[in-house]
Amino acid sequence: MATPTWNNPVIKWVDDRLPIFTFVQHSAIDYPTPKNLNYWWNFGSLAGVILVIMIATGIFLSFNYTAHVDMAFDSVERIMRDVNYGWMFRYIHMNGGTMFFLIIYIHIFRGMYYGSYKAPRELLWIIGVFIFLAMMATAFVGYVLPWGQMSFWGATVITNLFSVIPFVGNDIVTWLWGGFSVDNPTLNRFFSLHYLLPFIIFALVFLHLWALHTHKSNNPLGIEVKGDQDELPFHPYYTIKDLYGLGVFMIFFMGVTFFAPNFFGEPENYLPANPMVTPAAIVPEWYFLPYYAILRATPDNFVDAWGILPVIIDAKTSGVILMFASILLLCLLPWLDRSKVRSATFRPIYKQLYWIFLADCLVLGWIGANPPEGMMLLIGRIATFWYFFHLLILLPLVPYWEKTKELPESISAAVTANGEGSKETSS
Amino acid sequence: MADSAVTSEDGQDGEETRRDFLLISTVSVGAVGAALAAWPFIDLMNPSKDVLALASTELDLSGIEVGQAITAIWRGKPIFIRRRTASEVDAAKNVKLAELKDPQSDADRVQKPEWLVLIGICTHLGCIPVGNKSGQTKGEFGGWFCPCHGSHYDTSGRIRKGPAPRNFEIPPYKFLSDTTLFIG
């Protein structure tokens, strides 16, 4: 990749001192990209766009928001009724959270299908998991800010998760609250954190992109780029593809924002927070439902049903451990999956397991939306078991008996050569 | 497709034109979209409806004696309302416009000669002058005096001496009755 020469004297002067134009040229214009990327590769740039939308609308919402228990709810209602375009900013920000998670889940499952987390992109994947965690934290503290009933009780329930930490659990919860219940100090710090965390996400996104640009994008075939014939410059080929996807996505996003803005929301949150009355059912936003199902799946003492261990792990503790483990385990995915073949296209068994795992996550989401009783509880336990069985047992063992399909010679060979019928080879 | 038929053989130029057209139209649509999207961001920072709803003030003037003044609040600013004595009105009327830094006749600054209504902010750098309460100095011209940088205003609220460039501003107002003043 040749260093570009600049004709404009101002650009040349700046670039000599700070090669920012060369950097952009290399990483956004000439940037070599596998030429076979499909539309599932749009979701990274979409996530970047929605992050910017969230930060922009969030900053403008904060101009009119008051982080005080007596005024927060009313200040949000004032944004809805009196502030110019306030309703629009709030609905964009509210549904933007939903869109962000939708995009990120698709982005994660794309990575799982095509094995994007495998060497040499393990760190890229792990940074992604941390972005996901930071997003969850941001969404959680942000949901508390309108100070409705779900805000208050969601904050109470989730902060209470930390009480399972041995010995100091209750002290940690008090420390998180800055008091003896969720109250004004909690709301103040949550507002501060909700403003801070997106910028941490932004910084993590830069690391994510840095790691991405070091080994470049994976692709639907999951094979290495062999040379120039396998690549296209990012601009105009992928800028236009990303823009097209952005257009389609915006139709959906704006459609929801303008025509069904409360579709994903919880009506209960339009009641002001009342520390004396808990709502009949506390349900998180849809994007937390699978984890909520895992949290409530375990019975008392399920690790040690025979009473051998000296400690008793109650349902609360094991639920919290499993919930955090379900996310943190994703960091180990590059090592849990022992197959050298990346793309599920060439892994007949993994491909089926992938779809079962995806369905399992959807089932967990459905269970999370329902009270944990009867069949719901049983199904929730089976789905929770499968989640961990897939990650911890199936992924490491399947490669030992899976016969993978023959990989194409190269990305261009896959479309130019006449298929001779793929030969089966053992991994 | 018709275009590509024309430019099919060595149509490098034709191809460029098509691409230029796409580029220019994409950028144009994007620029229009960005401009339209910018407006809500700008307008959000304008005064909201509840702020605008409090943008006018109604005052009862019945308790103010001749020679007295009150300070009211309108849009967060002090409003000086002085019920002028006959001699103060005469003093204001008899000044030659040529002597004034910001020439304006007293008749242009009041609706009823007895009532002087002003925005009580010094036109120099925004301090609130003294002279509205009894006992405060009224400056060399019997009106107001700004202690920040020494501007003197007369009984029509006009700048007479000191660094301020302009007379006190007059807020929009009307008398709803003889004793009710509506500002805004």
Side-chain angles (χ1 to χ4, degrees):
Chain A
M1 208 173 351
T3 304
T5 51
W6 304 102
N7 295 323
N8 183 316
V10 176
I11 290 177
K12 193 175 164 60
W13 187 91
V14 172
D15 205 70
D16 270 352
R17 286 147 184 86
L18 177 71
I20 189 163
F21 294 101
T22 301
F23 175 77
V24 170
Q25 182 80 26
H26 279 171
S27 51
I29 296 174
D30 296 338
Y31 180 66
T33 314
K35 65 181 180 184
N36 59 338
L37 298 189
N38 57 33
Y39 275 107
W40 298 114
W41 262 261
N42 276 51
F43 288 85
S45 74
L46 279 182
V49 170
I50 195 87
L51 175 63
V52 170
I53 291 175
M54 292 302 276
I55 289 176
T57 52
I59 287 172
F60 277 71
L61 282 171
S62 77
F63 291 169
N64 290 290
Y65 172 75
T66 310
H68 187 283
V69 290
D70 294 335
M71 290 177 269
F73 188 89
D74 289 345
S75 75
V76 173
E77 285 307 302
R78 186 180 156 263
I79 288 170
M80 292 302 289
R81 291 149 203 259
D82 289 337
V83 175
N84 304 324
Y85 290 104
W87 57 273
M88 194 171 95
F89 276 75
R90 175 159 174 269
Y91 278 155
I92 289 176
H93 200 73
M94 211 169 95
N95 288 293
T98 275
M99 296 301 149
F100 204 172
F101 275 97
L102 186 64
I103 287 167
I104 285 297
Y105 281 133
I106 293 172
H107 192 59
I108 291 172
F109 276 98
R110 188 270 288 158
M112 287 181 170
Y113 187 85
Y114 294 110
S116 300
Y117 47 82
K118 291 182 191 179
R121 298 185 184 84
E122 304 97 319
L123 198 53
L124 171 62
W125 172 263
I126 291 170
I127 295 166
V129 175
F130 278 90
I131 293 173
F132 179 50
L133 278 170
M135 276 175 64
M136 294 175 96
T138 310
F140 164 62
V141 291
Y143 192 68
V144 178
L145 303 185
W147 208 243
Q149 273 290 68
M150 277 299 160
S151 298
F152 182 88
W153 292 102
T156 301
V157 167
I158 300 301
T159 46
N160 265 316
L161 295 180
F162 293 91
S163 66
V164 303
I165 297 168
F167 308 115
V168 292
N170 285 322
D171 295 327
I172 285 179
V173 174
T174 305
W175 175 75
L176 286 173
W177 288 340
F180 303 103
S181 62
V182 174
D183 208 336
N184 203 46
T186 327
L187 179 59
N188 269 297
R189 63 188 60 181
F190 277 19
F191 180 46
S192 179
L193 291 172
H194 189 65
Y195 212 118
L196 168 70
L197 284 167
F199 294 96
I200 290 176
I201 293 176
F202 208 79
L204 287 171
V205 167
F206 261 89
L207 293 181
H208 197 63
L209 286 175
W210 190 1
L212 172 72
H213 283 221
T214 304
H215 286 286
K216 310 287 191 293
S217 292
N218 184 32
N219 64 79
L221 295 173
I223 57 176
E224 294 297 331
V225 164
K226 295 282 181 352
D228 289 347
Q229 74 279 6
D230 289 344
E231 295 172 325
L232 290 171
F234 191 80
H235 180 75
Y237 295 98
Y238 287 106
T239 43
I240 202 68
K241 190 163 182 162
D242 279 350
L243 271 179
Y244 177 73
L246 179 64
V248 173
F249 165 70
M250 286 305 251
I251 291 170
F252 175 62
F253 181 15
M254 292 300 120
V256 172
T257 299
F258 290 115
F259 296 104
N262 289 301
F263 178 77
F264 293 102
E266 182 60 44
E268 193 87 29
N269 217 31
Y270 282 106
L271 293 174
N274 182 351
M276 292 299 120
V277 179
T278 306
I282 299 180
V283 184
E285 294 289 272
W286 69 268
Y287 39 80
F288 289 143
L289 287 175
Y291 305 101
Y292 200 53
I294 293 174
L295 174 71
R296 303 182 303 178
T298 55
D300 271 331
N301 214 17
F302 92 107
V303 187
D304 180 28
W306 308 276
I308 302 165
L309 295 174
V311 280
I312 291 170
I313 299 177
D314 59 22
K316 179 178 164 185
T317 309
S318 54
V320 172
I321 291 171
L322 285 188
M323 189 183 75
F324 281 106
S326 68
I327 302 162
L328 292 173
L329 259 186
L330 295 178
C331 288
L332 299 179
L333 196 56
W335 296 277
L336 289 169
D337 181 352
R338 301 188 62 80
S339 173
K340 292 273 182 284
V341 177
R342 292 198 190 101
S343 176
T345 309
F346 303 104
R347 298 185 60 194
I349 299 177
Y350 174 74
K351 191 186 210 169
Q352 291 174 36
L353 291 176
Y354 168 87
W355 290 111
I356 294 170
F357 183 70
L358 178 59
D360 187 62
C361 291
L362 294 175
V363 166
L364 281 171
W366 169 60
I367 294 296
N370 286 288
E373 292 155 3
M375 281 302 286
M376 289 294 172
L377 185 59
L378 181 66
I379 295 169
R381 284 176 179 170
I382 294 169
T384 302
F385 167 78
W386 187 266
Y387 185 96
F388 289 97
F389 184 66
H390 174 92
L391 289 177
L392 290 172
I393 310 293
L394 292 177
L395 284 187
L397 293 184
V398 160
Y400 288 107
W401 70 78
E402 184 177 50
K403 279 188 188 295
T404 56
K405 292 182 185 169
E406 191 185 17
L407 295 173
E409 204 52 38
S410 71
I411 291 171
S412 42
V415 286
T416 51
N418 293 325
E420 296 183 335
S422 55
K423 283 172 281 179
E424 303 268 302
T425 53
S426 170
S427 57
Chain B
M1 285 302 109
D3 286 349
S4 60
V6 173
T7 59
S8 58
E9 271 308 300
D10 64 338
Q12 207 56 30
D13 295 335
E15 204 64 37
E16 288 296 307
T17 313
R18 264 164 72 94
R19 205 169 260 185
D20 288 349
F21 172 75
L22 284 171
L23 182 68
I24 290 167
S25 42
T26 305
V27 170
S28 309
V29 170
V32 170
L36 289 175
W39 172 245
F41 284 88
I42 296 164
D43 195 37
L44 181 136
M45 294 175 73
N46 275 325
S48 58
K49 290 180 185 69
D50 60 323
V51 172
L52 293 177
L54 298 174
S56 59
T57 304
E58 219 173 289
L59 289 170
D60 178 15
L61 303 177
S62 57
I64 305 171
E65 304 288 334
V66 174
Q68 276 188 332
I70 62 163
T71 304
I73 296 176
W74 171 70
R75 295 187 182 176
K77 298 171 188 169
I79 301 297
F80 293 163
I81 301 163
R82 186 184 282 199
R83 189 171 182 184
R84 297 188 293 186
T85 62
S87 61
E88 282 174 338
V89 174
D90 287 343
K93 279 181 176 166
N94 294 335
V95 178
K96 286 179 187 151
L97 290 188
E99 291 176 22
L100 297 172
K101 194 172 182 179
D102 181 9
Q104 207 176 12
S105 75
D106 187 57
D108 290 340
R109 294 179 57 78
V110 292
Q111 291 180 17
K112 293 181 177 182
E114 196 174 37
W115 294 101
L116 179 63
V117 182
L118 306 165
I119 296 176
I121 294 176
C122 181
T123 57
H124 181 218
L125 291 170
C127 294
I128 299 175
V130 296
N132 223 35
K133 286 183 182 155
S134 60
Q136 286 181 337
T137 174
K138 291 178 160 49
E140 290 178 23
F141 298 87
W144 290 266
F145 171 69
C146 184
C148 289
H149 306 94
S151 291
H152 297 259
Y153 294 86
D154 67 12
T155 55
S156 189
R158 291 172 297 203
I159 180 66
R160 299 297 290 272
K161 186 181 173 189
R166 281 174 289 107
N167 304 332
F168 280 137
E169 282 182 46
I170 313 283
Y173 68 91
K174 61 189 174 204
F175 286 91
L176 299 178
S177 70
D178 279 348
T179 55
T180 311
L181 181 69
F182 178 89
I183 308 173

